[in-house]
Amino acid sequence: MGISELTSTLMFLFLPGIIGAFILGLFTSSTRREWKYFYLQAYFIAMISYLIYWIFQKQSSFYDYFFLKDTSLNPFEIAIVTLIAIVLSIILVFIIEKNYFYEFVVCIGLSSYYGSNDIWDELFELTNEKDKITWIVIRDGETNKEYEGQLLLYSNRQDKKEITLKHVIIRQHNGDLVKIVAEKEYVYFNLENKDNLILEIQNLENSGGS
């Protein structure tokens, strides 16, 4: 068996895990991690999904392929396992995003670690409340400007700290004097290497406007 054939076969076998890992990366903070984490996630999701299939079917061409000779792959099995991996990944997304795993670990006293240690993540996870809108005030200590607007977008990459506000009011502070100098529909902020910024965040009830 040539290398290219082996590679394509393994990719086909681990397609359920690859799709599952993609779902995790799409809906959790895993998008910011290195590729090695993606490969590990794909491997474990695939193995667990095939194991679930084997438990119900009492056989699997996936395991036969590695441990028995002259075993052909079963496309129907891989399709079913892919569906299992998708459901499994959605469940994992729910558990991860709700911090249920960390709550369980803390509850049984196994660890005091809770959730992500990235303050940026924790801060903006608090803004994802249904039927509420998030207003942010950014105070720039260097220019004495204040930007107040509704949160539209924020980055979820570890190497980027970016946000975009809409319906933005820009004020200039000059001692006790505060003056509105501009109003913008959208304003983008790259917060990297900004040491003199203060963010104030408030969730307000959504009255139906946007």
Side-chain angles (χ1 to χ4, degrees), residues 13-210:
L13 275 173
F14 284 94
L15 179 64
I18 294 172
I19 293 176
F22 176 78
I23 292 175
L24 282 182
L26 188 62
F27 296 108
T28 70
S29 60
S30 299
T31 53
R32 298 162 300 139
R33 295 181 177 175
E34 300 176 15
W35 278 103
K36 62 182 180 182
Y37 292 105
F38 178 88
Y39 295 140
L40 286 173
Q41 289 172 350
Y43 174 79
F44 284 112
I45 291 174
M47 295 298 289
I48 294 173
S49 299
Y50 279 109
L51 178 60
I52 293 173
Y53 178 87
W54 178 84
I55 290 174
F56 287 96
Q57 297 295 322
K58 304 303 180 184
Q59 63 178 1
S60 171
S61 62
F62 174 81
Y63 296 108
D64 293 342
Y65 177 81
F66 289 104
F67 298 108
L68 300 176
K69 294 182 179 181
D70 300 326
T71 301
S72 59
L73 300 179
N74 185 346
F76 177 76
E77 174 186 330
I78 295 177
I80 297 299
V81 173
T82 299
L83 293 177
I84 295 174
I86 291 174
V87 174
L88 177 61
S89 299
I90 292 174
I91 294 173
L92 288 175
V93 167
F94 183 78
I95 292 174
I96 292 171
E97 290 302 297
K98 295 296 183 180
N99 281 330
Y100 288 150
F101 175 75
Y102 296 107
E103 288 180 358
F104 172 75
V105 170
V106 172
C107 181
I108 64 177
L110 184 62
S111 173
S112 60
Y113 179 79
Y114 187 87
S116 170
N117 59 357
D118 191 315
I119 295 177
W120 183 265
D121 290 337
E122 296 293 337
L123 183 63
F124 283 100
E125 281 181 7
L126 298 175
T127 67
N128 295 326
E129 297 186 31
K130 189 177 180 181
D131 299 327
K132 289 191 176 182
I133 58 177
T134 301
W135 283 88
I136 293 182
V137 176
I138 300 178
R139 304 183 190 277
D140 189 336
E142 294 181 0
T143 63
N144 291 323
K145 284 186 177 180
E146 172 188 296
Y147 303 83
E148 179 182 358
Q150 182 182 341
L151 178 64
L152 179 64
L153 299 168
Y154 67 92
S155 63
N156 65 344
R157 291 175 51 190
Q158 194 169 16
D159 59 338
K160 287 286 186 180
K161 296 293 183 288
E162 303 166 302
I163 60 174
T164 300
L165 304 182
K166 65 178 182 178
H167 310 321
V168 183
I169 299 175
I170 304 174
R171 300 182 179 92
Q172 180 70 56
H173 288 254
N174 187 9
D176 295 332
L177 181 63
V178 181
K179 180 182 179 182
I180 296 178
V181 294
E183 295 185 15
K184 301 292 185 180
E185 186 66 21
Y186 302 101
V187 178
Y188 161 82
F189 298 89
N190 185 346
L191 305 182
E192 294 295 313
N193 302 319
K194 295 286 187 179
D195 298 327
N196 203 11
L197 291 179
I198 297 176
L199 274 69
E200 299 176 3
I201 301 176
Q202 184 178 13
N203 285 342
L204 301 176
E205 296 293 336
N206 189 351
S207 59
S210 59

Side-chain angles (χ1 to χ4, degrees), residues 4-20:
S4 60
E5 182 181 352
L6 175 62
T7 301
S8 60
T9 301
L10 289 176
M11 288 185 65
F12 186 56
L13 275 173
F14 284 94
L15 179 64
I18 294 172
I19 293 176

